[in-house]
Amino acid sequence: MKNIVILISGRGSNMQAIVEAGLPHRIAAVISNRADAGGLDYAQARGIPTAVVSHREHPTREAFDAVLAAEIDRHQPDLVVLAGFMRILTPGFVEHFAGRLINIHPSLLPSYTGLHTHQRAIDDGVKLHGCTVHFVTADLDHGPIIAQGAVPVLRDDTPDTLAARILKVEHRIYPQAVAWLCGGQMWLNESGKVTSNGPEANDTFIVAPEME
Ligand SMILES: Nc1nc2c(c(=O)[nH]1)N[C@@H](CN(C=O)c1ccc(C(=O)N[C@@H](CCC(=O)O)C(=O)O)cc1)CN2
Ligand SMILES: NCC(=O)N[C@@H]1O[C@H](COP(=O)([O-])[O-])[C@@H](O)[C@H]1O
């Protein structure tokens, strides 16, 4: 059984999808940089240890990251999962958790790194957008890719409608990526639950070559 620590900044729907996937691993803690993150209420209601490490209470990124890393380390994580965590992490933090620090980003990396990806994709008139699970490196949204899900952009899409469509795919590929990285040959079915069967017929996983 592996120890998973999940970092959030908001509602935490990706965290919820991972919790509800039924993985045979421990969600050791859910930690947020914002005390008002809705995901904290969900985790507490499920009896998952929570903590808040506020970036506003530290004078520098390095100071914040050091306190955050110490809080994470208390839970002896095998995997640290950024799930809507909205702070850029310093090279020292990334190095400390290198190889066991992942993120989900709402674009098909390497396209559209950074923020506001849905609006930018719509503005550019792209026909395909999606989401990417990747290892976190010092360079923003540039780490080795673990999985991607591709989603069509519709003519009348707004950032919100596109984000909602992509979020459903995020909730499939993130738990799947966590399952793989925690050493399981597990697959998750359409409803996002662990199954002993192989990938679903219409899965949109693009497994990075180094993962094969
Ligand atoms: N060193 C890295 N840190 C983080 C990465 C990464 O790949 N390398 N991924 C991000 C997640 N993310 C996109 O997927 C992302 C999150 C936040 C920002 C950003 O500009 N944040 C601002 C604050 C914004 C806010 O508080 O609302 C900032 O940190 O100044 C860009 C991309 C997580 N960290
Ligand atoms: N650059 C990071 C970023 O934009 N992440 C995105 O924030 C949302 C968090 O939703 P959630 O809190 O419901 O999981 C998700 O769509 C995730 O891809």
Side-chain angles (χ1 to χ4, degrees), residues 52-54 58 61-72 93:
V52 174
V53 179
S54 172
H58 301 281
R61 283 184 191 275
E62 288 73 14
F64 165 67
D65 282 10
V67 173
L68 180 61
E71 176 59 37
I72 294 168
F93 182 99

Side-chain angles (χ1 to χ4, degrees), residues 66-97:
V67 173
L68 180 61
E71 176 59 37
I72 294 168
D73 280 342
R74 286 196 324 108
H75 303 283
Q76 298 177 301
D78 298 290
L79 188 65
V80 182
V81 176
L82 305 183
F85 182 75
M86 299 304 285
R87 298 301 295 180
I88 297 173
L89 295 160
T90 58
F93 182 99
V94 172
E95 183 179 345
H96 181 72
F97 293 107

Side-chain angles (χ1 to χ4, degrees), residues 34 61 82 85-89 94 103-106 114-115 134 136-142:
R34 293 179 182 276
R61 283 184 191 275
L82 305 183
F85 182 75
M86 299 304 285
R87 298 301 295 180
I88 297 173
L89 295 160
V94 172
N103 177 54
I104 191 160
H105 179 76
L115 298 175
H134 65 99
V136 173
T137 66
D139 295 327
L140 191 62
D141 304 329
H142 277 74

Side-chain angles (χ1 to χ4, degrees), residues 101-208:
L101 178 61
I102 64 174
N103 177 54
I104 191 160
H105 179 76
S107 81
L108 294 175
L109 291 177
S111 300
Y112 299 106
T113 59
L115 298 175
H116 314 300
T117 71
H118 307 102
Q119 182 66 66
R120 291 155 58 199
I122 291 170
D123 291 346
D124 291 347
V126 300
K127 299 306 179 192
L128 205 59
H129 203 45
C131 47
T132 303
V133 180
H134 65 99
F135 284 104
V136 173
T137 66
D139 295 327
L140 191 62
D141 304 329
H142 277 74
I145 289 172
I146 302 164
Q148 288 186 306
V151 175
V153 181
L154 305 182
R155 194 192 326 267
D156 59 351
D157 261 328
T158 67
D160 289 345
T161 59
L162 180 56
R165 190 177 313 118
I166 291 174
L167 200 60
K168 291 176 182 168
V169 178
E170 293 182 41
H171 294 166
R172 293 288 320 284
I173 72 170
Y174 217 0
Q176 181 66 76
V178 171
W180 282 332
L181 292 172
C182 287
Q185 291 302 315
M186 293 172 279
W187 284 91
L188 280 70
N189 60 25
E190 279 289 346
S191 60
K193 303 297 182 188
V194 172
T195 172
S196 57
N197 302 324
E200 304 287 336
N202 62 344
D203 274 338
T204 58
F205 293 110
I206 304 169
V207 178

